[in-house]
Amino acid sequence: DAKTTQPTSMDCAEGRAANLPCNHSTISGNEYVYWYRQIHSQGPQYIIHGLKNNETNEMASLIITEDRKSSTLILPHATLRDTAVYYCIAANSGGSNYKLTFGKGTLLTVNP
Amino acid sequence: NAGVTQTPKFQVLKTGQSMTLQCAQDMNHNSMYWYRQDPGMGLRLIYYSASEGTTDKGEVPNGYNVSRLNKREFSLRLESAAPSQTSVYFCASSDTGGAGVEAFFGQGTRLTVV
């Protein structure tokens, strides 16, 4: 799996958009970009994933650059409950090779 | 729909004791995983099972054994616990498929070895 690089921490004001960057310059063509978050030592929670195109769901948007070497997770209106560690992961899709490799992630703190 | 259930939630062991961490999922997923998370660190994969009847080592398998009992259940065994195995253990499951899959995690087992 490709290595990902994320900032250690970020701050965001409540109600504003949170933009979390991730670098995955060695990502291979069959690897997806996944985002998970972990709130206060609970089990990680899936947020979103994508291959080439930008993706949006009820939680967030994922913007992947055309060369796929980096991506940005966008939480459009951050709330205090979005304070968590966010993990960006590059992994193959499904099958016996599907394993998530977690780095240290980005601690996002949403401030009132 | 319970998702992924881990038992126990907390456990204290003495060095040298053995124990089994249990994990069950009710989503009919083929793949299951065991991770450990040490303080301030990301999750590290211990073992995984891509399908019923198969298991493979992950990043940190030493000191652990696993059993994929059936499609629902995947257990992690510590034969002789060591203080270095003090950690939070997470079980996860996912489907297998070609279009990107979502993994579901349990709430963790907090293990302390003294």
Side-chain angles (χ1 to χ4, degrees):
Chain A
D1 295 342
K3 178 179 168 57
T4 61
T5 304
Q6 300 177 251
T8 303
S9 63
M10 295 182 65
D11 286 331
C12 177
E14 188 177 20
R16 304 297 294 269
N19 295 278
L20 289 85
C22 179
N23 182 289
H24 32 79
S25 59
T26 61
I27 195 168
S28 63
N30 61 349
E31 287 183 314
Y32 284 74
V33 178
Y34 294 87
W35 284 84
Y36 283 76
R37 72 180 183 183
Q38 188 174 25
I39 297 173
H40 196 238
S41 298
Q42 296 177 16
Q45 175 190 24
Y46 165 84
I47 302 173
I48 199 167
H49 74 275
L51 184 62
K52 296 180 183 178
N53 300 321
N54 298 337
E55 302 288 345
T56 295
N57 63 20
E58 64 278 3
M59 289 181 68
S61 295
L62 173 60
I63 309 298
I64 303 174
T65 58
E66 192 169 344
D67 62 8
R68 301 210 326 124
K69 292 184 176 182
S70 65
S71 61
T72 301
L73 178 74
I74 301 172
L75 307 179
H77 304 287
T79 71
L80 299 179
R81 288 177 294 180
D82 291 323
T83 292
V85 177
Y86 287 77
Y87 298 99
C88 170
I89 301 165
N92 288 309
S93 65
S96 61
N97 291 323
Y98 177 68
K99 302 189 297 291
L100 298 173
T101 301
F102 288 80
K104 293 187 179 181
T106 297
L107 172 60
L108 175 68
T109 302
V110 180
N111 300 305
Chain B
N1 194 347
V4 178
T5 303
Q6 294 183 231
T7 55
K9 289 186 171 51
F10 300 92
Q11 184 71 49
V12 178
L13 288 179
K14 294 182 179 179
T15 298
Q17 285 186 318
S18 62
M19 79 162 294
T20 299
L21 281 62
Q22 306 286 353
C23 176
Q25 52 93 7
D26 61 4
M27 295 169 282
N28 202 37
H29 285 162
N30 287 316
S31 300
M32 297 186 73
Y33 315 82
W34 276 105
Y35 289 87
R36 63 176 285 175
Q37 185 174 34
D38 300 328
M41 304 291 288
L43 282 73
R44 291 184 293 171
L45 184 64
I46 305 171
Y47 271 94
Y48 67 101
S49 171
S51 61
E52 187 178 354
T54 68
T55 61
D56 285 287
K57 296 178 180 180
E59 182 185 355
V60 288
N62 291 344
Y64 305 96
N65 287 301
V66 291
S67 294
R68 183 74 183 266
L69 304 171
N70 48 54
K71 193 171 186 179
R72 289 187 66 248
E73 298 172 289
F74 189 38
S75 63
L76 179 72
R77 183 161 178 84
L78 287 71
E79 291 290 353
S80 178
S84 60
Q85 294 178 306
T86 293
S87 191
V88 181
Y89 292 85
F90 290 101
C91 177
S93 72
S94 71
D95 207 343
T96 50
V101 294
E102 172 184 354
F104 294 81
F105 286 79
Q107 287 307 297
T109 295
R110 283 148 182 82
L111 175 67
T112 301
V113 183
V114 298

